[in-house]
Amino acid sequence: MLPTPIRLLLLACLLAPALTACRYAYVPLIPKPVEVTLPTRVTAATLVRERDALVLRARVEGRFTPGYLSVAWFDGARELGRDSVYLDAAQRDATFRLPAPNPGAYRAVLAFDGTVLRQIELYEVLP
């Protein structure tokens, strides 16, 4: 009869080929790259008063076909006017001015190609 350490060593040598057969056999598939198309969006828009006029500055981001960024001006529920600027990949910033000598509860609604993107408010009086 063999001593215990030699028996264990012999058993390990006999079982070694069986242990090497256990390997990771699954190769995960590499997924296709995800193509993300972000919608047109207004990232920076400010509405401030400069003397007797309201000034709206806006920046459009995302992929978009060249088109018109339009603004509709309101004082409360009363529409004051509309304006638009043509934007393309090189020109993404727009500045709009509206003469407004009196304080009010002003809103400006920005739309690109008929889709409303953002509403900006400036309350100088209670609405």
Side-chain angles (χ1 to χ4, degrees), residues 23-31:
R23 349 184 186 164
Y24 187 67
Y26 174 72
V27 177
L29 297 175
I30 298 173

Side-chain angles (χ1 to χ4, degrees), residues 36-37 49 62:
V36 177
T37 304
R49 174 174 286 285

Side-chain angles (χ1 to χ4, degrees), residues 25-98:
Y26 174 72
V27 177
L29 297 175
I30 298 173
K32 293 180 184 177
V34 177
E35 294 182 21
V36 177
T37 304
L38 295 174
T40 305
R41 63 197 183 283
V42 176
T43 56
T46 58
L47 177 60
V48 295
R49 174 174 286 285
E50 290 182 2
R51 296 187 185 115
D52 287 342
L54 298 175
V55 179
L56 171 64
R57 291 181 182 88
R59 178 163 181 81
V60 176
E61 294 291 335
R63 288 187 186 180
F64 64 92
T65 57
Y68 286 92
L69 178 69
S70 60
V71 62
W73 297 94
F74 296 92
D75 183 7
R78 182 173 54 103
E79 184 173 338
L80 300 175
R82 292 178 179 263
D83 195 6
S84 62
V85 172
Y86 185 78
L87 298 180
D88 58 14
Q91 177 64 34
R92 294 180 173 264
D93 296 317
T95 301
F96 300 98
R97 293 184 182 276
L98 176 74

Side-chain angles (χ1 to χ4, degrees), residues 67-71 82 109-117:
Y68 286 92
L69 178 69
S70 60
V71 62
R82 292 178 179 263
V109 178
L110 288 168
F112 189 79
D113 282 342
T115 304
V116 174
L117 299 178

